[in-house]
Amino acid sequence: MFEDRPDRDEVVLVGRSNVGKSTLMRELTGHSVSTGRKPGVTRQPNHFDWASESFMFTDLPGFGFMSGVPEEQRERIKTDVVQYVERNADDVLAGVLVVDGKSVIDIIDRHSDAGEVPHDVELFHFLQELDIPTVVAVNKMDKVDDRDERLDDLCDRLGILPPWQQWRDTIAPICAKRGDVSALTDALGTHFHDQKRDDLLKFL
């Protein structure tokens, strides 16, 4: 269970291991975040806060398959992430679901075949059910050739109607490693504005 959460509004980053959440966090905050070649490096929430604004970005631990991490531990991490978001939903200004643009469709389809709801789809709907404005940050887009087709397919898997361009507040193609995150910051800016938190736009 994650304890010691600072009492303030936040944007949470959620997603599988190794999709680039910590790299994205570094882009958004300007803070160096420990990233590792091994999945599962982030085991506790990483909070980056601005005390004067009562606001923070939170990078939650990655979930899903992690090489060398027992299944029982993986499930516990996922449960902790879900409970954290559920418990603090009233203070979450936006949820950012980070996915790997190159592999997300294959991963979703592979798990759909097994008759289960894939983690990414499940988490997307979970955030929406909690009335948390949700942005899917589709990372590593520099490695994707058929960009529009891939993003339309992702909309289709998430249960929203393509074309993706009509969902710019929900679907944000980015490349965190190259510092190209404007689609995400634009979407977050819209959600901040809608919640009358224009005071936070300077952080984007």
Side-chain angles (χ1 to χ4, degrees), residues 16-18 36-43 62-69:
R16 291 177 176 279
S17 295
N18 279 15
R37 296 197 66 80
K38 275 174 46 193
V41 168
T42 309
R43 293 286 168 87
F63 55 80
F65 177 75
M66 288 175 253
S67 172
V69 179

Side-chain angles (χ1 to χ4, degrees), residues 135-151:
V135 184
V136 182
V138 192
N139 197 17
K140 308 184 185 181
M141 286 304 288
D142 55 316
K143 297 181 176 160
V144 174
D145 300 327
D146 48 350
R147 182 187 169 95
D148 288 339
E149 188 182 332
R150 183 67 54 94
L151 293 170

Side-chain angles (χ1 to χ4, degrees), residues 13-28 35 59 96-105 107-108 120 135-147 150-151 154 158 164 170-185:
L13 273 62
V14 297
R16 291 177 176 279
S17 295
N18 279 15
V19 293
K21 287 195 309 306
S22 298
T23 305
L24 174 56
M25 190 75 162
R26 193 167 55 219
E27 269 315 305
L28 290 171
T35 59
D59 176 19
V96 178
L97 171 59
V98 188
V99 299
D100 181 332
K102 194 166 163 53
S103 63
V104 64
I105 303 298
I107 288 172
I108 287 175
D120 305 281
V135 184
V136 182
V138 192
N139 197 17
K140 308 184 185 181
M141 286 304 288
D142 55 316
K143 297 181 176 160
V144 174
D145 300 327
D146 48 350
R147 182 187 169 95
R150 183 67 54 94
L151 293 170
L154 180 58
L158 294 172
W164 75 271
T170 306
I171 302 289
I174 63 168
C175 177
K177 210 171 211 172
R178 294 187 175 182
D180 176 12
V181 297
S182 58
L184 173 58
T185 53

Side-chain angles (χ1 to χ4, degrees), residues 4-21:
D4 305 325
R5 176 190 178 274
D7 181 21
R8 52 197 48 160
D9 288 341
E10 68 183 320
V11 169
V12 295
L13 273 62
V14 297
R16 291 177 176 279
S17 295
N18 279 15
V19 293
K21 287 195 309 306

Side-chain angles (χ1 to χ4, degrees), residues 2 14 60-61 63 76-85:
F2 306 141
V14 297
L60 289 169
F63 55 80
R76 191 164 62 243
I77 291 170
K78 186 183 164 209
T79 302
D80 285 349
V81 167
V82 165
Q83 288 178 348
Y84 177 94
V85 174

Side-chain angles (χ1 to χ4, degrees), residues 85-86 89 117 121-134:
V85 174
E86 213 161 22
V117 181
V121 177
E122 185 181 20
L123 214 55
F124 177 73
H125 291 295
F126 170 68
L127 289 166
Q128 295 204 312
E129 278 162 23
L130 291 173
D131 285 330
I132 293 173
T134 307

